Amino acid sequence: MDIKIVPLDESQLKQAPEKDFGFGNLFANRMFIQEYTAGEGWHDAKIGPYEPLVLDPATSVFHYAQEIFEGTKAYRRSDGNINLFRPWENMKRFNQSAQRMAMPVVDEEDHLDAILQLVELEHEWVPSVPGATLYIRPTMIATEPALGVHASSRYLHYVIVGPVGAYFKGGFNPVPVYISDTYRRAVRGGTGAAKTGGNYAASLFVGEEAKRKGYSQVLWLDAIHGRYIEEVGAMNIAFVYEGQRIVTPPLTGSILPGITRKSVLTLGADLGYETAEEMIDVHEMLADVESGKVTEVFGCGTAAVIAPVGKFGFQDKEYLINNNEVGPVAKHLYDELTGVQTGRIEDRFGWTLTIEANG
Ligand code: PLP
Ligand code: COI
């Protein structure tokens, strides 16, 4: 793919901030974008200024939500260079999401090349402060201006990047989690395994209800039995039994196949923990929390890496986990994962792709 690099003028070159990034509110100077037209394929790839999209109000994405996205990060290494973490997995999942949403796929190598060129151009936007990274958000939207319900004949694929700090305001600290008795995020056969906006829209109502009750995330149960644990907020979930067995639900179709989840299974086994993918009944799990058999619970995802769960709220009862403190297994995995991501710990699995940052 030939990517046209559009030069920016002085007024378009903002200085990258050095701290206080928050999450997802700041964006670098440039973005990648290309267009798709049925019968022609992808065309007009360019890296140009980060700027608003001008779209007809009838554009199909606004009405029927045909859209997908990805989330990955660029990490500043201590030698000044930059690491991407398993970006090949994100490129693959982007296309899996595209297929599920009846959208065109993108050449995986071209997609990665676009990200590499963008990060190289914006290398000054990769933060150097510990815990902060450059968040990379590839997106595809349906752009045909028509109200008929059918797969669009036109699309935009773009990548925006911006510096982020910790996903949770409290940093690496336990979060309180609300278990919804009524509402479900996704159903087997639905779109839960795709990274598509509608899944997140469907989660907001319960997310707000959880917040009103003093919880920061929602634990999602399966939609068929209302019993089996699926995910937590926008993360996969794992349970630690007796300090040494890490269990996460299997990928049954309604769960997003997380790259952090996959890494936790590989890394956990390598670090000497027993790892397993098993269906977890919420009632059994809560009984195991009460008896002390479940010693830790944590969410895992690119944004937070590992997010310890401090307590569950279910049907007006609270269940405290590890005394609402960060547990040793969550801490161990967090340190190891962030260590590999930032180059502090040797990458023994070939997970990182290093970009030379010339300056
Ligand atoms: N589950 C959902 C619903 C997500 O949005 C994410 C975030 O990407 C994850 C799980 C974790 O996936 P990953 O580890 O690939 O970031
Ligand atoms: C994650 O990276 O874990 C996420 O779910 C990102 C979120 C902002 C959608």
Side-chain angles (χ1 to χ4, degrees), residues 64 146-151:
Y64 309 126
L147 299 183
V149 181
H150 54 74

Side-chain angles (χ1 to χ4, degrees), residues 241 281-294 319:
Y241 289 84
D281 180 309
V282 68
H283 302 286
E284 285 173 25
M285 182 279 288
L286 291 172
D288 288 342
V289 167
E290 281 196 306
S291 75
K293 199 170 154 196
V294 166
Y319 300 79

Side-chain angles (χ1 to χ4, degrees), residues 25-281:
N25 304 309
L26 298 168
F27 299 97
N29 294 320
R30 297 174 179 84
M31 66 189 282
F32 165 83
I33 190 159
Q34 64 173 336
E35 293 173 42
Y36 179 92
T37 312
E40 194 181 338
W42 290 106
H43 56 91
D44 289 303
K46 67 170 191 192
I47 292 178
Y50 180 100
E51 61 189 3
L53 305 172
V54 179
L55 294 168
D56 190 291
T59 300
S60 47
V61 66
F62 297 145
H63 303 273
Y64 309 126
Q66 200 190 5
E67 88 97 45
I68 57 166
F69 68 97
E70 261 307 324
T72 186
K73 283 171 168 176
Y75 305 81
R76 180 71 69 183
R77 297 166 50 96
S78 53
D79 62 10
N81 290 328
I82 296 163
N83 273 352
L84 298 186
F85 182 71
R86 311 189 78 176
W88 311 277
E89 299 284 338
N90 295 90
M91 302 306 101
K92 202 164 82 187
R93 190 171 63 187
F94 191 74
N95 277 346
Q96 285 164 356
S97 299
Q99 276 166 336
R100 178 62 184 85
M101 300 308 290
M103 299 169 97
V105 296
V106 176
D107 183 280
E108 288 176 28
E109 274 174 39
D110 284 351
H111 193 181
L112 182 53
D113 182 44
I115 289 171
L116 288 172
Q117 290 199 42
L118 181 59
V119 173
E120 271 167 27
L121 282 164
E122 297 292 42
H123 66 94
E124 285 170 10
W125 286 76
V126 181
S128 296
V129 295
T133 56
L134 185 78
Y135 187 73
I136 303 167
R137 172 54 65 89
T139 309
M140 195 198 298
I141 57 172
T143 53
E144 189 179 326
L147 299 183
V149 181
H150 54 74
S152 172
S153 60
R154 288 163 53 184
Y155 297 87
L156 279 180
H157 166 218
Y158 58 87
V159 182
I160 54 177
V161 298
V164 298
Y167 186 59
F168 293 113
K169 280 206 187 77
F172 186 58
N173 274 311
V175 292
V177 171
Y178 174 69
I179 307 180
S180 174
D181 217 5
T182 318
Y183 296 99
R184 311 291 172 226
R185 186 192 88 99
V187 65
R188 208 176 288 185
T191 58
K195 214 161 159 59
T196 183
N199 294 337
Y200 301 79
S203 78
L204 300 178
F205 177 78
V206 199
E208 292 302 307
E209 179 178 281
K211 267 192 207 126
R212 279 195 300 276
K213 291 177 187 272
Y215 297 91
S216 76
Q217 298 290 302
V218 176
L219 183 86
W220 301 106
L221 301 178
D222 83 280
I224 295 169
H225 306 94
R227 230 175 98 182
Y228 296 104
I229 294 167
E230 299 211 321
E231 303 204 53
V232 60
M235 291 176 287
N236 294 113
I237 190 161
F239 297 84
V240 182
Y241 289 84
E242 284 150 349
Q244 57 85 38
R245 184 162 192 269
I246 303 168
V247 184
T248 187
L251 301 175
T252 48
S254 42
I255 294 177
L256 191 85
I259 296 155
T260 319
R261 172 191 179 280
K262 192 171 174 180
S263 307
V264 161
L265 288 171
T266 305
L267 189 63
D270 188 68
L271 295 172
Y273 298 102
E274 195 187 328
T275 57
E277 294 171 82
E278 289 170 8
M279 306 278 274
I280 301 163
D281 180 309

